[in-house]
């Protein structure tokens, strides 16, 4: 892996590299990154999660620098850079946060949130005195609402030049440290924002290493997406009222009412050209927001805006205008849909139909990219992930019947790349069994049936607990939890019983405890040892047929002449299955069983594609053999 990464950095080609759990892939890319950095060529390392970002900065990079200090001509420098909302904002701490009308208010110290805000403010001031980062990861324990009282979104920031505390700003200090560093550790969200903002966020670099690269398309989709709700429009109008003509503010509130009425009269799901009411309401929001924004810009911000409230109001109105304009345009390469957030009401979401072109143009075109993960080969090769990130499989450029390009507006031709699977230190055939319960009926829309519950109870009992249950829905996880609790005395934790971090910690600390949950457990949970000897997957995790973005992507591929089901739904399921089964074997001494309760993985035509995406575990459909193996593992 080190040799392949080093070669890519020097010849300028892109590299997709699958490195299984336990490979030590962070060293595999950090070693050549250090060598590259001492040649005064900056490297950016991007991760999917803040947790891995912190692991690299707090552990992996310092240890590697210490180990190589006598071997390199100089010690490379490094820095971490996160989004602005991850740092405490001194302006908000000292001046207060605005209410819905834009007035700066103070949070009373009574109550848990108020007390947390007081503690966070004191912590931030101490961070300043100690010359520390003011980073949320190092803040006292707090809830999200409390952090929002001491932090600020980038769009509402006054800017270092206009903020009275700009010279002390934690976020600006982090940005300056990154400008001076040889290696910058960031995350996919900020990498995406940097790409969309013409590379003005991260410092200049000619190599980007993307760890957890299987997450990149989804994170870029999130960064390129937006939302629009009547509440957002109304709040922006109220905040602007102090600074604009009342008529303009009233017009924007009227537009929010029109949007609410249009959404209330529409069903959840994709918004298309035939839904004139929603599109006309979005256009009304766009036009009135434009008028308010223009009114806000008539006077100098510096002279009539000492507390920065007007500038923040402009940022909120500009965001409303941008999203409403995008919704009203209903571009062929955007998907707009309506969701109902229950007590929060209905709102619109918008996201790109595909991000392949964005990634190709904004991330890959003029710099070297190394993309690595434990799960990059889906169906046995790199083609699916290559297409998703904007790389075309070289041997299929002329005739690709699987996934035609959805956005051929790019002038960029094929980009040279290679894929490499460096394998795994684990002997999956000896360490793990893949059990497919072929005797069970295929799953149906109404959820799990009695036969599935009986199977789960028998499996968990044979394992003596020690089970991670991965379910396709919260309802299925809760129903399975209830079934096992009723039939046994085993301790079953269910996602939603407490904060996920607490549940995960309790699961890890008590080997006989089991944990059942949904999507957030499929990825990122690291449970080595006897705590987890059984992973249960209730069904193939296809996207819901009524999920608007996935459905739109699938339909677009079909209309372009490809196989939308295989290119979108099956690929999505294969990635989640690979991630889910990867929870079982985390070190060379681990042993266990992955039990899939969905027989379609061996009976359906697409089953071979899904199985080819999984580690090479020993396969069986023999229930008694599996129950016996679980009991032997329980007995040690």
């Amino acid at each position: 892996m080190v040799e392949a990464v080093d070669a890519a950095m020097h010849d300028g080609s892109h590299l997709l590299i699958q490195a299984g759990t336990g490979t030590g892939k962070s060293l595999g890319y950090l070693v050549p990154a250090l060598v590259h950095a001492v040649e005064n060529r900056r490297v950016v390392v991007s991760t999917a999660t803040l947790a891995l970002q912190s692991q690299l900065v707090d552990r992996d990079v310092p240890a590697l620098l210490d180990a190589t200090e006598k071997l390199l001509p100089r010690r490379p420098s490094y820095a971490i850079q996160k989004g602005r909302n991850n740092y405490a904002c001194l302006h908000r701490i000292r001046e207060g946060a605005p209410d819905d009308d834009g007035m700066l208010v103070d949070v009373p110290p009574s109550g848990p949130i108020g007390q947390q805000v007081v503690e966070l403010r004191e912590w931030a001031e101490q961070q300043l005195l100690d010359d520390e980062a003011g980073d949320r990861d190092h803040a006292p324990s707090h809830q999200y609402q409390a952090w929002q009282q001491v932090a600020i979104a980038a769009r509402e920031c006054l800017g270092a030049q206009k903020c009275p505390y700009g010279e002390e700003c934690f976020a600006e200090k982090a940005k300056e440290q990154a400008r001076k560093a040889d290696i910058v550790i960031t995350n996919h969200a900020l990498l995406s924002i940097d790409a969309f903002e013409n590379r003005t966020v991260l410092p200049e670099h000619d190599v980007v290493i993307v760890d957890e690269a299987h997450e990149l398309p989804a994170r870029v989709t999130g960064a390129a997406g937006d939302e629009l709700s009547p509440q957002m429009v109304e709040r922006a109008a109220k905040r602007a009222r102090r600074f604009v003509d009342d008529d303009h503010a009233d017009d924007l509130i009227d537009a929010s009412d029109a949007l609410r009425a249009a959404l209330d009269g529409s069903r959840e799901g994709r918004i298309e050209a035939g839904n004139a009411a929603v599109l006309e309401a979005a256009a009304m929001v766009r036009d009135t927001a434009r008028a308010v924004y223009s009114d806000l810009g008539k006077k100098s911000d510096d002279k009539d805006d000492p507390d920065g409230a007007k500038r923040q109001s402009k940022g909120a109105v500009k965001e409303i205008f941008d999203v409403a304009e995008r919704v009203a345009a209903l571009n062929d390469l955007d998907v707009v849909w309506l969701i109902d957030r229950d007590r929060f009401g209905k709102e619109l979401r918008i996201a790109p139909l595909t991000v392949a072109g964005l990634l190709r143009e904004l991330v890959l075109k003029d710099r070297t990219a190394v993309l690595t993960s434990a799960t990059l080969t889906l169906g046995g090769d790199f083609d699916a992930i290559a297409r998703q990130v904007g790389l075309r499989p070289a041997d299929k450029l002329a005739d690709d019947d699987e996934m035609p390009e959805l956005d051929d507006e790019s002038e960029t031709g094929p980009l040279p790349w290679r894929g490499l699977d460096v394998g795994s230190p684990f002997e999956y055939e000896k360490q793990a069994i893949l059990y497919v319960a072929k005797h069970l009926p295929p799953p149906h829309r109404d959820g799990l049936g009695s036969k599935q519950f009986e199977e789960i109870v028998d499996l968990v009992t044979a394992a003596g607990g020690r089970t991670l249950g991965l379910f396709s829905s919260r309802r299925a996880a809760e129903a399975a939890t209830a079934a096992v609790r009723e039939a046994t005395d085993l301790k079953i934790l269910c996602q939603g019983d407490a904060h996920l971090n607490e549940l995960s910690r309790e699961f890890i600390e008590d080997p006989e405890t089991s944990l059942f949950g949904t999507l957030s457990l499929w990825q990122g949970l690291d449970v080595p040892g006897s705590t987890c000897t059984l992973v249960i997957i209730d069904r193939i995790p296809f996207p819901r047929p009524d999920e608007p973005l996935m459905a739109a992507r699938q339909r677009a591929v079909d209309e372009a002449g490809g196989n939308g089901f295989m290119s979108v739904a099956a690929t999505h399921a294969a990635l989640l299955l690979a991630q889910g089964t990867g929870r079982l074997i985390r070190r060379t001494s681990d042993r266990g069983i992955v039990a899939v309760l969905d027989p379609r993985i061996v009976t359906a035509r697409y089953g071979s594609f899904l199985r080819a995406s999984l580690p090479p575990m020993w396969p069986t459909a023999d229930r008694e053999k599996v129950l016996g193996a679980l009991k032997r593992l329980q007995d040690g």
Side-chain angles (χ1 to χ4, degrees), residues 8-231:
M9 288 180 174
H10 283 90
D11 66 24
S13 62
H14 299 303
L15 176 66
L16 303 184
I17 188 160
Q18 178 162 288
T21 302
T23 306
K25 66 177 179 294
S26 60
L27 292 179
Y29 60 71
L30 286 175
V31 168
L34 291 185
V35 175
H36 198 75
V38 296
E39 298 172 354
N40 296 318
R41 301 170 67 189
R42 183 181 291 113
V43 176
V44 165
V45 179
S46 177
T47 74
T49 61
L50 294 176
L52 180 54
Q53 193 176 357
S54 297
Q55 175 189 313
L56 291 174
V57 170
D58 296 336
R59 190 183 73 187
D60 295 353
V61 173
L64 188 57
L65 288 174
D66 290 342
T68 58
E69 190 162 19
K70 295 181 180 179
L71 302 175
L72 297 174
R74 67 179 179 86
R75 184 182 176 99
S77 59
Y78 66 97
I80 187 170
Q81 190 171 354
K82 303 179 182 180
R84 190 168 292 272
N85 192 249
N86 290 284
Y87 300 97
C89 171
L90 294 173
H91 187 277
R92 178 152 286 187
I93 287 168
R94 293 169 178 172
E95 304 294 339
D99 61 10
D100 283 352
D101 294 322
M103 302 296 291
L104 296 177
V105 296
D106 207 358
V107 178
S110 59
I113 298 297
Q115 185 59 42
Q116 289 174 16
V117 171
V118 171
E119 292 174 359
L120 286 169
R121 288 171 175 171
E122 293 173 350
W123 162 81
E125 295 291 357
Q126 189 60 48
Q127 288 274 294
L128 197 62
L129 292 174
D130 296 341
D131 197 25
E132 297 291 343
D135 184 337
R136 184 182 181 184
D137 280 354
H138 301 104
S141 178
H142 61 273
Q143 296 181 40
Y144 174 78
Q145 298 96 315
W147 183 255
Q148 294 308 104
Q149 296 294 321
V150 300
I152 195 168
R155 66 178 179 274
E156 295 185 359
C157 176
L158 300 178
Q161 301 302 317
K162 296 182 178 180
C163 179
Y165 312 111
E167 292 185 3
E168 302 172 285
C169 177
F170 292 119
E172 289 297 324
K173 285 181 179 179
K175 194 172 182 180
E176 183 59 30
Q177 289 172 354
R179 289 194 195 102
K180 298 175 181 178
D182 298 304
I183 298 175
V184 178
I185 315 294
T186 189
N187 54 68
H188 296 354
L190 201 61
L191 179 69
S192 305
I193 292 169
D194 180 63
F196 297 145
E197 297 189 3
N198 298 315
R199 306 212 182 149
T200 58
V201 178
L202 296 172
E204 286 292 323
H205 55 282
D206 62 355
V207 173
V208 58
I209 298 170
V210 181
D211 200 345
E212 301 174 304
H214 63 278
E215 289 263 25
L216 184 62
R219 298 303 173 101
V220 173
T221 297
D226 279 308
E227 58 190 43
L228 183 69
S229 71
Q231 295 92 323

Side-chain angles (χ1 to χ4, degrees), residues 432-471:
I433 295 173
L434 174 63
Y435 166 55
V436 179
K438 285 180 63 178
H439 63 283
L440 293 178
H444 48 79
R445 289 189 178 183
D446 295 333
L448 300 177
S450 59
K451 293 186 180 298
Q452 282 89 356
F453 289 136
E454 291 172 6
E455 189 80 8
I456 292 170
V457 169
D458 289 346
L459 288 167
V460 176
T461 300
R466 310 169 194 274
T467 301
L468 176 65
L470 303 177
F471 294 87

Side-chain angles (χ1 to χ4, degrees), residues 477-499:
E478 291 173 348
T481 299
V484 180
R485 285 174 177 170
E486 183 178 354
T488 75
D489 294 327
L490 294 168
K491 185 175 183 179
I492 310 295
L493 304 175
C494 185
Q495 188 174 350
D497 289 347
H499 193 281

Side-chain angles (χ1 to χ4, degrees), residues 228-299:
L228 183 69
S229 71
Q231 295 92 323
M232 292 170 59
V233 179
E234 184 177 356
R235 187 161 55 245
K238 288 180 177 179
R239 293 181 66 176
R241 185 181 292 280
R242 294 168 55 195
F243 312 107
V244 301
D245 293 339
D246 284 346
D247 288 348
H248 285 161
D250 288 342
D251 288 344
L252 191 53
I253 289 177
D254 289 344
S256 75
D257 292 337
L259 180 62
R260 181 177 287 105
L263 298 186
D264 287 342
S266 302
R267 295 180 179 179
E268 284 189 274
R270 189 174 181 183
I271 301 297
E272 300 190 81
N275 195 323
V278 170
L279 298 180
E280 288 172 3
M284 183 177 178
V285 172
R286 174 199 63 199
D287 295 341
T288 53
R290 180 193 287 118
V292 172
Y293 185 77
S294 176
D295 208 2
L296 283 166
K298 289 180 179 178
K299 297 180 181 179

Side-chain angles (χ1 to χ4, degrees), residues 378-379 442-443 539-542 563 565-567 569-571 573-574 577 598-613:
L378 302 177
R539 64 190 300 159
I540 298 170
F542 291 121
N563 186 330
F565 173 78
M566 290 302 297
S567 295
T571 296
L577 281 172
D598 189 340
R600 294 176 297 173
I601 198 169
V602 293
T603 60
R605 291 179 59 189
Y606 51 77
S608 59
F609 173 81
L610 299 177
R611 296 195 306 276
S613 306

